Amino acid sequence: MSDVGYGEEPTQDDLDWAEYGKTFTPATQIELLNATSEKLVGRTALVGIVLAAGGLVAVSSVLANSLSRGWAIAAVTMAGGAILVALVTQVRWPRKVRPGDIHDLKRWHADYVGWRRTALAFASFLLVPAFLAAAVAAGVALTAPPAPPAVNVTATTVPGADGGAPTQTLTGSVTIPAQGSDDVAEITVVANGETVVRMRQAASAGTIAASFEAKGVQTDVGITVTATSAAWKCVLNLARPRGEVCRALAAE
Amino acid sequence: MPELKLTPSTFACRIHDNREKLTPLVRGAVIQRTAAFMVGGANDFRVVVECPGAGTKEDGAHPLTFSGKWSRE
Ligand SMILES: [Zn+2]
């Protein structure tokens, strides 16, 4: 019979790999599973960093755009699913094992390793589309046109103390897309010719967002909110809040 | 575990007449399976086993590399 394979002198590479092969013991398989599970839980946090494009976009602006919101929800759902699966693999049911009996030890090991291996493979696979969806969401939010500027103000009447005349409390907000990171909006609220709010708000994550409150304002007076940034001027008259509130300033 | 067919089917040392011992050692090394994350597989093998040698102090065990192909019967 000529069907014989003769052994050769092993190369150093053969010996090195044979040595590595010996590390595939039942104990290292369990260590590998536990390490994989812990890494998965740690890495899902990176999906959030991708979602915010490393801080370039605010999560609020990712959620403001309906397209990027869909991708963000998909990313968070998949990352959450991966965390859930990884956490489930960390659950240990109590069981008695007889370590002196190789049969029993093998059965215990097969039970421990079996489904965890499949579950962790699935969870680590899930992180890949989660990252992609997060990147798409951040990309859509970065390239989408910014939300139009908006000014809102609400007046609440407060009864006067000791039978005095009632007053009103004004609360409001201003949101203006920023023209660069050093853009600043000047916001004033004028009631009956008197300035009751004057503030400056700097841009943050591509948006100038401010909220204000003025108490003790006389009732039945004209109220005007003015907000001016580098690119926009908004004027809201509370008596007639309809019409174009904000207009783009001509580029100089 | 279905029977694996190895090609070649017998494994020997050029110095020692140990094929009855070496063949099951190679077979054992090839069919040993363990759980791991998947990266792919192929049907060629290369294993390192110990040839027991002549069993004397001067002519003792030494490692040998065997290679071939496996298939399921
Ligand atoms: Zn030999």
Side-chain angles (χ1 to χ4, degrees):
Chain A
M1 205 166 114
S2 62
D3 184 24
V4 177
Y6 286 97
E8 301 157 25
E9 182 79 15
T11 63
Q12 189 56 48
D13 188 61
D14 287 339
L15 295 175
D16 290 346
W17 282 100
E19 206 56 44
Y20 175 60
K22 285 177 193 157
T23 66
F24 279 68
T25 65
T28 57
Q29 287 171 43
I30 288 183
E31 279 167 29
L32 175 69
L33 286 178
N34 292 344
T36 305
S37 168
E38 276 164 33
K39 273 184 198 158
L40 268 172
V41 173
R43 276 180 194 155
T44 43
L46 295 175
V47 173
I49 296 173
V50 176
L51 252 184
L56 280 175
V57 284
V59 172
S60 61
S61 65
V62 173
L63 296 177
N65 179 304
S66 63
L67 181 59
S68 67
R69 183 172 59 230
W71 283 100
I73 290 171
V76 168
T77 305
M78 286 186 279
I83 289 194
L84 181 67
V85 172
L87 287 180
V88 167
T89 66
Q90 288 179 2
V91 172
R92 268 90 163 161
W93 290 107
R95 181 219 201 267
K96 282 202 169 65
V97 62
R98 292 178 291 113
D101 176 354
I102 290 170
H103 274 152
D104 196 49
L105 200 56
K106 277 187 172 173
R107 275 193 295 269
W108 171 80
H109 193 266
D111 283 353
Y112 188 95
V113 169
W115 66 269
R116 281 183 174 82
R117 187 161 46 101
T118 313
L120 286 172
F122 172 73
S124 61
F125 173 79
L126 208 55
L127 274 188
V128 177
F131 267 82
L132 291 176
V136 170
V140 168
L142 273 177
T143 54
V151 177
N152 291 295
V153 63
T154 315
T156 315
T157 304
V158 181
D162 301 326
T167 61
Q168 57 183 343
T169 297
L170 304 174
T171 52
S173 64
V174 173
T175 313
I176 298 174
Q179 188 98 314
S181 59
D182 56 353
D183 197 358
V184 174
E186 187 93 32
I187 299 155
T188 54
V189 180
V190 176
N192 201 21
E194 184 196 345
T195 302
V196 293
V197 174
R198 182 185 292 280
M199 63 184 289
R200 288 165 66 82
Q201 178 66 49
S204 168
T207 309
I208 299 171
S211 54
F212 56 82
E213 188 184 54
K215 284 182 175 170
V217 178
Q218 215 183 311
T219 54
D220 301 320
V221 293
I223 290 157
T224 308
V225 181
T226 310
T228 313
S229 75
W232 293 90
K233 183 175 174 75
C234 304
V235 179
L236 175 67
N237 191 324
L238 197 56
R240 40 178 184 81
R242 294 280 152 226
E244 195 92 345
V245 170
C246 297
R247 61 187 174 85
L249 297 173
E252 280 146 52
Chain B
M1 183 74 205
E3 267 300 283
L4 280 190
K5 181 178 181 285
L6 300 191
T7 315
S9 59
T10 309
F11 299 92
C13 176
R14 289 189 198 279
I15 308 161
H16 308 102
D17 183 21
N18 275 336
R19 66 180 59 187
E20 279 74 26
K21 289 172 186 163
L22 284 169
T23 300
L25 280 177
V26 170
R27 195 169 178 81
V30 175
I31 68 172
Q32 189 194 8
R33 283 177 101 216
T34 188
F37 291 118
M38 192 175 79
V39 247
N43 71 332
D44 56 338
F45 69 83
R46 187 171 175 88
V47 298
V48 177
V49 298
E50 287 268 293
C51 172
T56 64
K57 220 170 211 166
E58 307 79 55
D59 195 2
H62 63 107
L64 281 177
T65 298
F66 291 93
S67 45
K69 293 196 180 302
W70 62 264
S71 58
R72 287 190 206 288
E73 273 297 72

